[in-house]
Amino acid sequence: MNRTSRFTRVTLAAAIAAVLMSGTVMAQDTATQTPAKKQAQAGSSASNPQSLNQVVITGNAAALGLRKIDASYSITTASYAEIKEKNPVSTADLLKMSPGVFPESSGGQTGANIEVAGFPGGGDAPFVTVQMNGSPIYPASTLSFLANSSMFRLDDTIDRVETVQGGPAVLYGNGQPGLTANFILKQGTDVPSGDIGLTVGSEGMQRLDGFYGFPLGHNWYGSIGGFWRKSDGVRDPQFSADKGGQLTATLAHDLDNGSVMFYARALHDKNQFVTDTPILNPSKGQFDNYPGFSPLTGTFGSNADRYETIATTPCATAGCTPGGVGVDLADGRGADIHMIGGNLDLDFGSGWSLNDKFNFTGGNMDTRSFFSTGQNPTSLADFIAGKEAADGLPTDLTASATYTNGKPADMNENVTTQGLWYVNKNIRSFSNEVHLSKELFDGNTLTFGNYTAVYSAKDTWFLGNNMLLQAKNNPNPIVVNLSDGATTYALTDPQGFTSGSSFALHEDWNATNTAFFVTDSWKLDNWLFDAGVRVEHQSANGTLTNNASGDLDNNPNTLYNNNASYLTGDTTKLNYSKSAPSWTIGANYTFNDHSSAYARVNDGIHFPAFDDLRGLPTTPVQKIHNMEVGYKYQNKYLYVDVAAYRRLFYGVPYTITTDNGQQSFTYGSATKGVNFQATIRPTDNFSIALTGDYMDGHYTNYKGCVSYQTQSGGTACDSITGMQLQRQPKFQYRITPAYHIPAAWGDIKFWATYEHVGDRYGDLIEQQPLGNYYDVSAGILANVGTHWTYTLRGTNLTNQIGITEGNSRLFGFASGGGVILARSIEGREVNFQVKYEF
């Protein structure tokens, strides 16, 4: 077992043991609300979390936050209890609680693409920032093989989450114009309290959760908690699909004029990543099971292909063995990350206050996973014939095909190739944000601030490495040799690789972002006005090791490595330096204690990330213009938050990674739409929650044309201008009826969620229709007595096929012979948890 994993597991077990021993002797009084606890739980509202009187701290400079009814922007919140009721399969999946956010929760725990309505991402999550206690966990929201959500796991240490789309968030933190999800940690209280939970799942999951908050004396408070789990996965690769844990601790102190809090988190988690798989595509937007490969439970992972060696370095003499690196698919696309951070709040009197928050993140975010090559399955005999023709070999060769276990392969069975990608990614970051506020006069507060982030990424990639596999679940690799009796041509190596790396990369990047901002808010009768401006500068420099292509073993008859990409050792330097402004103006009018309306205009920016600069060193700063109006209303029976928006983008870079490298270009977009969320409570015990989005978004300002394969098999070249935003549904919604039954022994709650995701296209030129889908999840939660909670939850209960992406290695038509390479949501999963709270 990895040393870090062992430490996390043993420490968590010790903490939980201490919880159990102390919980039996400590009083069960309600925790005293200290100043630090009040701030940490400012957004909690056990009686009605969707309350316009709820105080939120994300997206504003107010020292104690703002009530929702006063905020001139839309903000969505959830307590930890609500998070559980949303049945998220990952951190990314939870973010669909914010209207218009569509996470492609089909690849596993990590690596999800996350689309925000009207923000032309097209992959990864460039317009989503995950914060912990107000600090971005990594300043760049997305790098290749890394999104913020992949570095964050949900557990009992979370008190609540607040999500904001754009608006005033463009002024703070990393200036995210898209979605900012701020997770607030639980802290200790005057009276010790906590929980311990055990969860088992239908996919072979075993999970241990725990949290303990406690006083340390003299206004000091501590907490510790986390989880450990292992799982075979809904897509069982014959080894642990998910295995690891997380440990989080906080230390807080109440001062006479404020508070200070520190936190630390260690995450060590290995997760299987699932890429496109073969799916029947009989007509546009219609999908079904491919024989031998379920889109809901199938995976190319298996014990037969788990351990491999990738050739990376050419050797000098004919027939020599190239240098290589070992791969264990069980390492997956996980995280080995450590974070420390803190918050300081001070009130100096006379209207002066200061807030400072910092975060340090460091560790590895590596990837060992199969990725689609874009080639549809075909019979083994046809595959061999195609390779013979492509490589210009004689036509009278005799083929010998075996599995890697030595057994003969069936020439009539369907096969496919998958690229085994190897990515090492080491990251480091430090960010600090300080606010200095002064109340100029009654109702008017001026804030000056600075955000500074220093961060780096060091990557080594070997992409390609195509392996010949059976086109079925848990396949065997296939070894193929061709012979004319005198000469043998190795079509694959002894492991089944048909090619070496198609793209070798080593890069070392460092960047600094510094932003200064000033904001002012003015409460005037029923009006609350706010305005602010931010100027940010980014400087980045990178060192890229050059690459070349050639024969790795100086043997032309070993066809599998005759044109492999490898690193040469010499380097290229890249530098980038640019400044850009952001600004926002908003106004909110409170009609009464139950309703308010607002309007906002903002200009945001999105600086290029390291991958953008590598693909196009002159990448412009993206500019986002957003206009929105909204209305909020609440009474005993109804809660409504609806907003209409118009979003314009300029200078958007797009980079696609294929087996042949990367292609980059720029464009713009224009979108109009409506976000809505509502809760109806016809009785005290029954509620219906609705959240969703309608958006009409298209690409603009692209002057060239993109070459692609048409559905008739030909080629064409067309502009993307006017095409629907890639992978984004025009209409999506989620509806959740819930019923609560009080009882003498406790209470019980039932809920179910119906989710509808509308028609989308997998590419930029509308040649890959992904159709629409629905899924159903449900849960039952029973509180028994004062200590025990039992929860039964299930996702995709009706086993719906829901395509989230088409063949991401292609621009155009992806289906051939009624088959598409695509990725579906996972099949049914049910889990049951027993929790003891004290």
Side-chain angles (χ1 to χ4, degrees), residues 274-296:
V274 177
T275 186
D276 303 338
T277 66
I279 296 174
L280 290 186
N281 184 206
S283 61
K284 292 182 181 180
Q286 300 297 314
F287 307 97
D288 206 345
N289 292 343
Y290 180 83
F293 206 114
S294 167
L296 300 172

Side-chain angles (χ1 to χ4, degrees), residues 744-748 781-790 835-837:
W745 46 263
D747 63 90
I748 189 168
L781 183 147
N783 294 304
V784 180
T786 58
H787 301 294
W788 293 97
T789 300
Y790 303 88
K835 178 177 284 189
Y836 181 80
E837 299 176 336

Side-chain angles (χ1 to χ4, degrees), residues 479-638:
V479 180
V480 178
N481 290 298
L482 306 171
S483 177
D484 60 3
T487 303
T488 297
Y489 300 91
L491 191 64
T492 74
D493 79 346
Q495 303 172 103
F497 284 111
T498 65
S499 77
S501 297
S502 58
F503 184 47
L505 170 75
H506 179 75
E507 61 181 356
D508 191 349
W509 284 95
N510 296 277
T512 300
N513 284 57
T514 300
F516 292 92
F517 52 87
V518 58
T519 70
D520 186 84
S521 65
W522 187 10
K523 178 69 172 175
L524 186 62
D525 297 325
N526 289 4
W527 289 95
L528 179 61
F529 301 96
D530 71 273
V533 62
R534 166 184 171 125
V535 177
E536 182 173 0
H537 178 78
Q538 174 174 296
S539 61
N541 58 82
T543 301
L544 278 65
T545 301
N546 296 335
N547 57 21
S549 296
D551 190 347
L552 295 186
D553 62 0
N554 287 291
N555 181 354
N557 294 333
T558 53
L559 305 176
Y560 52 83
N561 64 15
N562 284 352
N563 190 34
S565 177
Y566 59 89
L567 301 172
T568 62
D570 53 328
T571 61
T572 298
K573 303 284 188 179
L574 293 176
N575 295 285
Y576 179 87
S577 180
K578 192 153 290 190
S579 299
S582 301
W583 58 265
T584 185
I585 300 174
N588 186 84
Y589 185 82
T590 303
F591 298 102
N592 49 47
D593 291 340
H594 306 291
S595 63
S596 64
Y598 67 88
R600 179 168 295 279
V601 179
N602 68 265
D603 266 13
I605 57 172
H606 189 81
F607 280 100
F610 299 146
D611 305 287
D612 301 318
L613 297 176
R614 178 184 356 103
L616 186 64
T618 58
T619 297
V621 177
Q622 295 182 54
K623 298 180 180 179
I624 302 100
H625 184 65
N626 178 69
M627 298 163 282
E628 59 182 311
V629 294
Y631 177 72
K632 304 169 188 175
Y633 176 81
Q634 181 183 27
N635 63 23
K636 180 180 179 181
Y637 306 104
L638 179 66

Side-chain angles (χ1 to χ4, degrees), residues 94-144:
L94 172 66
L95 301 183
K96 65 190 179 187
M97 64 179 270
S98 182
V101 176
F102 174 53
E104 297 179 359
S105 303
S106 53
Q109 287 289 308
T110 64
N113 303 309
I114 307 174
E115 306 295 339
V116 181
F119 288 78
D124 294 319
F127 299 109
V128 176
T129 292
V130 173
Q131 295 182 346
M132 189 152 65
N133 276 42
S135 292
I137 59 177
Y138 189 74
S141 52
T142 284
L143 302 176
S144 290

Side-chain angles (χ1 to χ4, degrees), residues 46 75 114 131 162 173 274 295 303 368 404 410 425 537 541 593 600 635 667 712 732 734 740 748 779 802:
I75 183 167
I114 307 174
Q131 295 182 346
E162 300 178 354
V274 177
N303 283 329
R368 309 286 189 268
T404 49
D410 182 356
K425 183 179 289 288
H537 178 78
N541 58 82
D593 291 340
R600 179 168 295 279
N635 63 23
Y667 53 82
S712 62
Q732 59 175 320
R734 294 155 191 94
H740 174 253
I748 189 168

Side-chain angles (χ1 to χ4, degrees), residues 559-763:
L559 305 176
Y560 52 83
N561 64 15
N562 284 352
N563 190 34
S565 177
Y566 59 89
L567 301 172
T568 62
D570 53 328
T571 61
T572 298
K573 303 284 188 179
L574 293 176
N575 295 285
Y576 179 87
S577 180
K578 192 153 290 190
S579 299
S582 301
W583 58 265
T584 185
I585 300 174
N588 186 84
Y589 185 82
T590 303
F591 298 102
N592 49 47
D593 291 340
H594 306 291
S595 63
S596 64
Y598 67 88
R600 179 168 295 279
V601 179
N602 68 265
D603 266 13
I605 57 172
H606 189 81
F607 280 100
F610 299 146
D611 305 287
D612 301 318
L613 297 176
R614 178 184 356 103
L616 186 64
T618 58
T619 297
V621 177
Q622 295 182 54
K623 298 180 180 179
I624 302 100
H625 184 65
N626 178 69
M627 298 163 282
E628 59 182 311
V629 294
Y631 177 72
K632 304 169 188 175
Y633 176 81
Q634 181 183 27
N635 63 23
K636 180 180 179 181
Y637 306 104
L638 179 66
Y639 175 93
V640 174
D641 187 343
V642 61
Y645 58 82
R646 173 76 166 163
R647 293 167 179 167
L648 305 174
F649 274 72
Y650 308 93
V652 182
Y654 182 81
T655 300
I656 183 172
T657 301
T658 69
D659 281 341
N660 298 319
Q662 295 185 317
Q663 302 177 52
S664 302
F665 51 91
T666 60
Y667 53 82
S669 72
T671 305
K672 55 188 175 183
V674 177
N675 287 334
F676 54 89
Q677 50 187 321
T679 300
I680 304 172
R681 296 181 181 274
T683 70
D684 289 340
N685 296 331
F686 179 64
S687 66
I688 301 175
L690 173 67
T691 181
D693 170 82
Y694 172 81
M695 78 99 199
D696 183 13
H698 301 87
Y699 296 111
T700 63
N701 302 322
Y702 184 69
K703 298 179 180 179
C705 69
V706 178
S707 296
Y708 61 93
Q709 179 184 355
T710 66
Q711 296 188 16
S712 62
T715 59
C717 188
D718 202 353
S719 172
I720 66 173
T721 296
M723 301 293 181
Q724 181 177 326
L725 295 186
Q726 179 188 15
R727 296 159 89 148
Q728 295 196 24
K730 276 194 170 183
F731 186 47
Q732 59 175 320
Y733 67 88
R734 294 155 191 94
I735 184 168
T736 303
Y739 194 77
H740 174 253
I741 304 175
W745 46 263
D747 63 90
I748 189 168
K749 184 176 183 178
F750 303 85
W751 72 89
T753 298
Y754 177 91
E755 176 182 29
H756 170 83
V757 176
D759 292 328
R760 293 144 294 123
Y761 291 93
D763 62 340

